[in-house]
Amino acid sequence: MLGGAAAASALAGCGSGGDAGPADTRETPRAAPPGQPSSSPSASTEPSPSSSGPRPLYLGTYTSAKGGGKGIGVASYDPASGRITGRGTITGVPDPSYLAVHPGGGTLYAVNERERGAVTAVRLSDGKVLGSRPTGGAHTCHLSVHPGGRWLLSADYGSGSVAVHPIDASGALGERTDMVTHRRPAPRAGQQGPHAHQFITAPDGGHVLAVDFGTDTVYSYRLDDKAGTLTEVAQAHTRAGAGPRHLTFHPGGRYAYLADEADDTVAVCAYEPSSGRLTIGRPQSTGAKADTNYPAQLAVTPNGAYAFLANRGDNTLARYAVEADGARLRLLGTMPVGGDFPRQIALSADGGLLFAANQRSGTVSVFRVDGASGEIRLAGEPFASPVAVCALPL
């Protein structure tokens, strides 16, 4: 279940980094100093999301996997055609398997999914690595930035812990202000311990939620915005053995959608902003036809009308209509992803493009999204990226 060069597991939990994709065959336009991309977008000159010009795209990989990347891939994409162009690599960041950007747009954050978990900050104007901070846990697999821009939230799969780090004015990280290990309920049978898989902020901004694969639980915490400390306020439990992986909120803020990796289901969850309490609904189909399938992540269109799910194993994208103001998901069907083992998906800011990082084929597929019908259509040939496990379009 561990990433990087760790052994692959029966369930592709936070890791499976041992499933190597092809080596990177892109040409680098010009040599770059260590720690800098060959050509990276400047924070001061970056076009607005509505611009018709090329937009930045950052790619996460496992550097310790056979055939893996050399760091964070730097690319751009055409918002009209979806075509991706490689720009180089930001080196000096080990196993950057998940990425997030600061709300101000000037700093990129990456996990270091290794036994000694850590998080790294990178300045986007010149690709300079601003430094790393230990999380205190093992195999950091997910991170997100609190909307206020002052705190970085991270999840450690190997130790089942979550951490908070302060972000200073330059975008660099300070020493962590809190760390919590999920000790209750006890991990289900067959698990060696808790496995925190995601740590995100709810739309209300005051609560942060941690999804734990090993304990079949979503934990709700109140984040002290001044001290950066966590106070648990609620727990939501899936049915035994569901193995929750990723939670995605509807834009309305009252509902969220949970991908359950171990039992190949999704669930609609009701969320109460005043208390931070999540209520998990009944399991629903992922649409997968393969004998073995591990749903990975959901993405919801900006208008809240449609949701998409990455199906690893079935190698499809499931498409759902979102109904009743977010309270219902209706499966519309599935479409081949054009790659092998879609680990993560993300929508462009305007919702017009959907990116799928295909871990085992070492590719990123791009789909055009019809905002009116929710139909998706592959936009050209997938882009080669070694052991692609995260695509972050800006």
Side-chain angles (χ1 to χ4, degrees):
M1 302 291 291
L2 302 180
S9 62
L11 283 180
C14 193
S16 298
D19 297 310
D24 190 359
T25 59
R26 292 173 292 163
E27 293 184 3
T28 301
R30 58 182 175 87
Q36 294 186 22
S38 301
S39 175
S40 61
S42 168
S44 61
T45 60
E46 186 176 306
S48 67
S50 61
S51 171
S52 59
R55 298 288 306 158
L57 176 69
Y58 296 95
L59 304 170
T61 185
Y62 285 115
T63 59
S64 59
K66 182 180 179 181
K70 304 300 182 185
I72 299 170
V74 179
S76 63
Y77 69 94
D78 184 329
S81 68
R83 179 182 175 82
I84 298 175
T85 301
R87 302 294 184 189
T89 301
I90 297 172
T91 59
V93 187
D95 289 324
S97 63
Y98 206 89
L99 309 172
V101 70
H102 190 276
T107 311
L108 183 71
Y109 300 97
V111 303
N112 304 140
E113 193 175 333
R114 296 197 164 183
E115 187 167 353
R116 292 185 177 181
V119 286
T120 296
V122 178
R123 188 168 61 206
L124 289 182
S125 61
D126 58 3
K128 179 180 174 58
V129 177
L130 299 177
S132 301
R133 296 288 185 176
T135 62
H139 294 98
T140 313
C141 68
H142 184 272
L143 81 176
S144 63
V145 184
H146 188 269
R150 295 182 57 200
W151 307 104
L152 185 74
L153 313 173
S154 58
D156 295 308
Y157 183 83
S159 53
S161 52
V162 293
V164 182
H165 286 80
I167 300 173
D168 69 20
S170 73
L173 299 169
E175 293 292 342
R176 73 175 180 272
T177 53
D178 207 354
M179 173 185 171
V180 177
T181 301
H182 298 152
R183 304 190 185 282
R184 61 178 185 89
R188 67 177 183 274
Q191 299 295 305
Q192 281 67 52
H195 296 305
H197 221 312
Q198 184 193 34
F199 199 20
I200 59 171
T201 305
D204 63 86
H207 296 95
V208 291
L209 283 74
V211 180
D212 197 294
F213 173 90
T215 63
D216 290 329
T217 301
V218 179
Y219 300 82
S220 294
Y221 298 94
R222 186 173 294 281
L223 173 67
D224 186 318
D225 195 41
K226 294 182 178 179
T229 53
L230 301 168
T231 302
E232 184 180 313
V233 295
Q235 293 183 5
H237 306 288
T238 67
R239 64 178 181 173
R245 179 183 176 91
H246 269 217
L247 185 74
T248 303
F249 274 91
H250 183 270
R254 298 303 298 266
Y255 297 96
Y257 312 111
L258 185 64
D260 290 322
E261 176 181 349
D263 72 355
D264 187 21
T265 63
V266 298
V268 177
C269 307
Y271 177 71
E272 177 49 58
S274 62
S275 64
R277 184 173 297 277
L278 194 76
T279 302
I280 301 173
R282 63 179 179 82
Q284 297 181 225
S285 173
T286 63
K289 302 296 192 296
D291 291 337
T292 303
N293 183 62
Y294 308 117
Q297 184 173 5
L298 287 133
V300 182
T301 55
N303 63 4
Y306 297 96
F308 305 98
L309 171 70
N311 280 323
R312 297 171 299 164
D314 197 55
N315 290 339
T316 58
L317 296 175
R319 190 167 56 92
Y320 296 88
V322 180
E323 300 174 336
D325 295 326
R328 288 199 305 266
L329 288 180
R330 177 167 57 87
L331 181 65
L332 298 175
T334 62
M335 181 171 182
V337 74
D340 189 0
F341 221 63
R343 168 71 173 265
Q344 176 262 359
I345 58 175
L347 288 160
S348 58
D350 63 1
L353 294 173
L354 176 68
F355 297 79
N358 303 308
Q359 181 173 356
R360 291 178 179 168
S361 58
T363 56
V364 177
S365 301
V366 185
F367 294 82
R368 292 191 184 92
V369 180
D370 186 314
S373 67
E375 295 283 348
I376 56 175
R377 180 164 53 92
L378 193 62
E381 291 297 317
F383 176 75
S385 181
V387 191
V389 290
C390 185
L392 178 64
L394 300 186

